[in-house]
Amino acid sequence: MGVAGKKVSAASARSHTRKQAPSSSYGILRTLSVVLLVALVALSYQALQPPPSKICGSENGPPVTSTRIKLKDGRHLAYLESGVAKEKAKYKVIFVHGFDSCRYDVIPVSSEVLEEVGISLISFDRPGYGESDPHPAKTEKSIALDIAELADQLELGSKFYIIGFSMGGEMTWSCLKHIPHRLAGVALLAPVANFWWSGFPANISKEAYGLQLPQDQWAVRVAHYTPWLTYWWNSQTLFPASSVIARRFDIFSAEDQKILPKMVTRAPFMAQVTQQGNFESLHRDMMVGFGSWNYSPMDLNNPFPRNEGTVHLWHGAQDLIVPVSLSRYITQKLPWVHYHELPEAGHLFLLADGMADVIVKSLLLSD
């Protein structure tokens, strides 16, 4: 019986081992699946995270070569002064540069007009561009507050003029919203418009949105709905990302292409524009510009009810980058904005010969 008992026990053991095998295999497969899933999530997370910014003046960052102010929150803002010394100037003008640009991309007012009219012209690097520190908490409002603080530290007086181009023009609406009491006059040049601003009829925004290249439709859609994907979307190679970031030649109108040779003057400082990283400059711009705003420019009130100043909006009818239809609609809703539509011009009209002088004189010397 003892021998028989041992045989039964051995058979039972073999049977038990066979029964456990499938369970053991399942456990291995489940473990491998979990490990692979975790690895995939980790790799995806890593792909979504932008690299750290290379802050100017930091140990591994670019050197500081510009004049800068230190803002109340500790960030630095780089700026450039031209024209008449601000102590002697009759007019103080702050220029707000566009996308993928910096303080050197200032509106090219002739030296003759600067002297004749008495203009002190200040341009600055918007946060994350050039030598201005990034601002991870940047909003449409924060840029207006930065401008007001820049004016205070440079002692420009209680009021000053603002000229904003393209994405800088879009941010200029926020100056009209948040610091209207500091403004003597404003000019918006080919201002970017947010397709999701309230106040746009669905057919107007949809039509303008459809005029963009498909890849740009996706780029702004990602920036609006899933801003946390903006870095990845504009860095990956599976799909075409923003054509503006890619600097495609065919996004410019015929008139713009005649002006493009002038852009060769940007060569000496082009590398400086995004030297701190694309995310806190280009990508952050898209996330703010096409994000959710707390107001719509179409809800703004006239900042100059007693005609003590003027607001001008200039746009080229052939602009292939920023649809002119949105500027047309905004100015119809805001009759106090002086609208100048240039029938043959594209996006780069401020660089056309003599155009900057016309724009500045219209802003400063109009009745």
Side-chain angles (χ1 to χ4, degrees):
M1 184 172 179
V3 174
K6 288 181 180 179
K7 288 182 179 178
V8 170
S9 296
S12 176
R14 287 193 297 271
S15 174
H16 180 72
T17 301
R18 285 194 298 270
K19 289 179 182 178
Q20 289 295 328
S23 177
S24 177
S25 298
Y26 174 74
I28 293 173
L29 288 174
R30 183 173 61 179
T31 302
L32 286 174
S33 298
V34 171
V35 170
L36 288 173
L37 178 61
V38 170
L40 180 60
V41 170
L43 288 172
S44 299
Y45 178 80
Q46 186 177 11
L48 296 177
Q49 300 307 302
S53 297
K54 298 178 180 178
I55 310 298
C56 285
S58 65
E59 184 177 351
N60 297 315
V64 174
T65 63
S66 63
T67 305
R68 307 199 302 177
I69 63 166
K70 189 172 183 179
L71 300 170
K72 293 175 183 177
D73 63 6
R75 290 180 295 116
H76 293 89
L77 212 62
Y79 67 93
L80 179 70
E81 296 181 274
S82 56
V84 177
K86 58 180 179 288
E87 295 79 12
K88 299 180 179 180
K90 185 176 181 181
Y91 302 98
K92 286 93 171 182
V93 180
I94 296 178
F95 181 75
V96 189
H97 69 74
F99 189 75
D100 198 9
S101 303
C102 71
R103 66 191 181 281
Y104 292 117
D105 290 297
V106 62
I107 183 171
V109 184
S110 68
S111 57
E112 291 79 11
V113 168
L114 290 173
E115 291 290 335
E116 172 192 335
V117 180
I119 303 170
S120 173
L121 182 58
I122 297 96
S123 57
F124 68 101
D125 292 334
R126 291 195 286 113
Y129 283 106
E131 296 185 20
S132 285
D133 293 340
H135 190 194
K138 184 168 69 173
T139 64
E140 51 77 22
K141 181 178 181 178
S142 67
I143 188 65
L145 301 182
D146 285 353
I147 289 172
E149 193 169 347
L150 174 68
D152 287 341
Q153 292 204 33
L154 295 185
E155 300 180 343
L156 299 187
S158 60
K159 290 182 179 288
F160 49 87
Y161 293 83
I162 291 278
I163 300 176
F165 170 63
S166 194
M167 189 70 82
E170 183 187 31
M171 296 301 114
T172 299
W173 288 119
S174 288
C175 293
L176 287 163
K177 168 66 176 178
H178 300 293
I179 57 168
H181 59 290
R182 302 297 308 274
L183 307 178
V186 173
L188 303 96
L189 314 180
V192 168
N194 187 324
F195 302 104
W196 292 273
W197 280 338
S198 62
F200 280 137
N203 63 313
I204 295 291
S205 57
K206 184 177 180 180
E207 179 185 1
Y209 181 83
L211 292 175
Q212 299 181 106
L213 294 173
Q215 66 193 83
D216 292 324
Q217 294 178 24
W218 274 102
V220 298
R221 186 184 298 154
V222 166
H224 180 77
Y225 290 110
T226 55
W228 49 276
L229 277 177
T230 304
Y231 166 74
W232 175 81
W233 185 264
N234 290 285
S235 303
Q236 51 78 36
T237 56
L238 299 174
F239 314 102
S242 166
S243 67
V244 182
I245 291 179
R247 297 172 182 165
R248 281 182 51 167
F249 183 77
D250 57 348
I251 62 174
F252 293 102
S253 70
E255 284 300 309
D256 281 341
Q257 291 182 24
K258 294 177 184 177
I259 294 173
L260 280 176
K262 293 186 176 184
M263 303 289 276
V264 69
T265 57
R266 303 187 73 218
F269 59 83
M270 272 297 292
Q272 189 182 116
V273 173
T274 57
Q275 64 182 347
Q276 299 183 90
N278 285 349
F279 181 70
E280 288 296 349
S281 53
L282 307 178
H283 303 162
R284 183 72 66 185
D285 241 7
M286 296 179 68
M287 292 158 62
V288 173
F290 295 105
S292 297
W293 287 37
N294 292 325
Y295 77 97
S296 167
M298 286 162 278
D299 297 329
L300 292 175
N301 295 317
N302 184 358
F304 306 116
R306 293 181 294 277
N307 296 320
E308 65 273 31
T310 54
V311 178
H312 298 257
L313 194 156
W314 300 73
H315 212 126
Q318 308 306 316
D319 193 333
L320 300 182
I321 297 176
V322 180
V324 67
S325 58
L326 299 181
S327 284
R328 286 174 185 160
Y329 187 81
I330 291 173
T331 52
Q332 288 171 8
K333 299 292 287 184
L334 304 176
W336 42 270
V337 175
H338 299 260
Y339 182 52
H340 311 263
E341 186 167 308
L342 308 173
E344 304 300 324
H347 191 65
L348 303 178
F349 62 83
L350 82 164
L351 300 179
D353 291 343
M355 196 65 216
D357 291 353
V358 171
I359 292 168
V360 168
K361 284 184 174 182
S362 175
L363 173 63
L364 303 181
L365 304 180
S366 61
D367 296 329

